[in-house]
Amino acid sequence: MSTETTDILIIGAGAYGLSAAWWIGERDTGARVMVLDAGDFAANGTGSCGAGVRMQWGLELSIGLMTESIAFFEDAEKRLDFPGGIEFKQEGYMMLARDADMLGDFQANVERQNALGVPSRILSPEEALKMVPELNPDLLVGAAFCPKDGTVSPFLWLDALLRAIRRAGAEVRFGTTVTRLEQKGGTIVAQTTKGPVEAAKVLVCTDWAAPQLLAPLGIDLPIEAMPNEAMVTEPWQPVFGPCLVRIEHGLFINQLPRGSIVAVVTRELPKDESSSNHADWLPLGAGLFVETLPAFAHLNIVRNWCHPVSITPDMQPILGEMAVPGLFLAVSAYKGFMTSPAVGRLMADVVLDGRSNHPALAAFNLKRFETGDLIPEPLVI
Ligand SMILES: Cc1cc2nc3c(=O)[nH]c(=O)nc-3n(C[C@H](O)[C@H](O)[C@H](O)COP(=O)(O)OP(=O)(O)OC[C@H]3O[C@@H](n4cnc5c(N)ncnc54)[C@H](O)[C@@H]3O)c2cc1C
């Protein structure tokens, strides 16, 4: 089979791959861009996610990525020329404090966030109940709230990016699996199920599946796949605004604008790359949902799904150029949807220029796992 060529090959058409492709196109360098994906449109982590985007993080680096990303989501309809927009429901994240100790921790987080320009604040139980009257009042001693947080439709986000990058001339192909990467002189050849593709630069955005592509090149990635599960109810009115979080249970609840309610419960599970539901998840997820929102106990659950997320030792991304010249990696560690606007920009810079002045690039390199300079984020849900 003859070898196709391109200047920049991006592997993975999820939020990271498509955002990077868009930002590369924005730089207008004339570089030919090809994106290959093993699956179908949105049949990935991005299409399976809870859709939450938040500035309420604990570390300056995470807050910086999210301040930039949320500003982009606010403007995405115009920036991506996507009439109708990406369904950004910007009505805040409410993190429920179950006791005074947790509320004290939230207060400290809010002070740190405020110092970095995040408009978060502490709510009294009465204020929280006014915003979401269906909340179980017995669970509340207060809450942390940021009105800039919210949810974006992952499907519209991917669609907006895909249409924009195709308009800009990028070649995007689904149903094409990269089986192996090989160094060839100064280029990299991607062996795929549809024939080889040779490129000067290759950006791997395959999330938890990255280790299997990089290991044959001698690059060991401390990335594992952990299953994460969610459910969605039938639509119901009224629609409450904020996303609800019970951090101690890894619970995230979001009512979509059309009324369906999505609940995600993240828990430690044995590492596993499959997308099979776990029999014990639904009673757990539904139980926490009803405990949090008893007024919605009668709703039917329409669907329950599972998808692996990437896990790193400090639950922070791995971004940057690898030891193989021209080979780049962007793996998110379970926040790839919300950080994709900012990470796409910095990855475009590093792929095109070999560097980026974004502090996240210096911090989230692969070497930190050798040196032990891990950067644990305290507000992982
Ligand atoms: C239930 C659940 C809830 C979540 N909630 C949130 C949330 O609220 N907010 C948030 O920010 N994140 C959330 N996440 C995490 C988020 O989904 C991921 O971090 C994010 O989607 C990763 O984006 P990505 O582009 O790196 O990977 P993906 O979207 O998974 O895209 C990777 C792509 O690579 C392709 N691929 C893999 N291997 C190959 C190969 N060899 N050749 C070609 N293509 C390949 C895949 O087909 C896939 O399309 C959640 C995840 C789950 C499962």
Side-chain angles (χ1 to χ4, degrees):
M1 224 177 266
S2 64
T3 302
E4 285 188 84
T5 63
T6 187
D7 297 318
I8 300 171
L9 173 65
I10 298 177
I11 308 173
Y16 267 18
L18 292 187
S19 177
W22 185 80
W23 281 104
I24 288 169
E26 275 295 282
R27 292 278 305 273
D28 207 15
T29 58
R32 291 171 302 155
V33 177
M34 184 186 286
V35 184
L36 299 180
D37 196 289
D40 292 329
F41 171 77
N44 48 27
T46 305
S48 312
C49 84
V53 305
R54 62 176 160 119
M55 285 184 187
Q56 284 185 88
W57 287 95
L59 292 184
E60 183 169 358
L61 278 167
S62 317
I63 291 172
L65 283 177
M66 283 316 302
T67 305
E68 177 178 341
S69 293
I70 284 185
F72 192 95
F73 285 131
E74 286 169 345
D75 216 16
E77 179 174 348
K78 205 161 73 218
R79 298 285 304 264
L80 300 178
D81 190 12
F82 191 68
I86 56 170
E87 209 174 70
F88 190 2
K89 181 175 175 239
Q90 199 171 23
E91 297 189 50
Y93 254 59
M94 190 189 285
M95 301 213 180
L96 310 182
R98 68 165 173 208
D99 57 31
D101 281 351
M102 192 179 271
L103 192 61
D105 290 345
F106 285 0
Q107 178 68 54
N109 291 336
V110 161
E111 282 164 22
R112 220 173 20 248
Q113 290 159 1
N114 290 171
L116 295 165
V118 177
S120 50
R121 62 180 196 273
I122 294 294
L123 300 180
S124 66
E126 295 71 32
E127 288 172 306
L129 286 165
K130 202 168 164 200
M131 282 185 191
V132 186
E134 296 82 3
L135 257 178
N136 180 351
D138 298 339
L139 296 178
L140 273 179
V141 300
F145 178 75
C146 174
K148 294 285 244 179
D149 299 342
T151 58
V152 167
S153 161
F155 308 105
L156 294 175
W157 175 236
L158 290 178
D159 193 28
L161 289 168
L162 180 62
R163 286 170 193 267
I165 62 185
R166 279 186 166 152
R167 275 196 309 271
E171 173 76 27
V172 185
R173 295 181 195 164
F174 294 96
T176 308
T177 304
V178 175
T179 51
R180 192 175 170 82
L181 294 175
E182 294 160 359
Q183 274 184 282
K184 181 185 160 206
T187 64
I188 297 170
V189 177
Q191 300 295 345
T192 86
T193 46
K194 306 270 172 74
V197 178
E198 184 172 352
K201 294 177 178 179
V202 173
L203 170 58
V204 176
C205 295
T206 55
D207 200 45
W208 54 271
Q212 63 214 47
L213 281 179
L214 271 60
L217 296 167
I219 301 167
D220 284 327
L221 298 174
I223 297 170
E224 291 181 299
M226 197 186 78
N228 205 30
E229 231 155 314
M231 64 174 217
V232 64
T233 71
E234 63 186 317
W236 200 258
Q237 302 294 328
V239 173
F240 58 82
C243 302
L244 306 172
V245 172
R246 289 173 71 190
I247 205 160
E248 72 277 21
H249 295 294
L251 174 70
F252 166 86
I253 297 177
N254 162 37
Q255 190 170 19
L256 303 173
R258 65 178 171 277
S260 310
I261 306 178
V262 173
V264 180
V265 179
T266 305
R267 56 182 177 157
E268 284 260 348
L269 281 175
K271 308 301 177 248
D272 180 3
E273 297 182 356
S274 84
S275 294
S276 306
N277 291 347
H278 295 77
D280 60 340
W281 188 91
L282 203 51
L284 171 76
L288 284 169
F289 174 81
V290 170
E291 186 182 57
T292 311
L293 294 165
F296 289 116
H298 61 285
L299 289 186
N300 290 307
I301 295 164
V302 174
R303 194 164 70 92
N304 162 217
W305 69 93
C306 178
H307 198 276
V309 296
S310 53
I311 300 295
T312 62
D314 57 2
M315 287 306 288
Q316 296 284 19
I318 303 177
L319 308 173
E321 188 162 11
M322 301 289 102
V324 171
L327 180 65
F328 302 83
L329 177 73
V331 169
S332 70
Y334 188 32
K335 47 179 173 294
F337 174 61
M338 67 173 84
T339 54
S340 57
V343 167
R345 183 176 73 84
L346 75 88
M347 288 312 300
D349 288 348
V350 78
V351 168
L352 289 171
D353 306 332
R355 66 189 160 74
S356 157
N357 56 12
H358 202 297
L361 192 71
F364 295 142
N365 58 50
L366 182 58
K367 283 204 187 75
R368 73 183 189 274
F369 301 104
E370 279 166 34
T371 59
D373 295 322
L374 303 190
I375 314 168
E377 160 61 59
L379 270 178
V380 173
I381 296 171

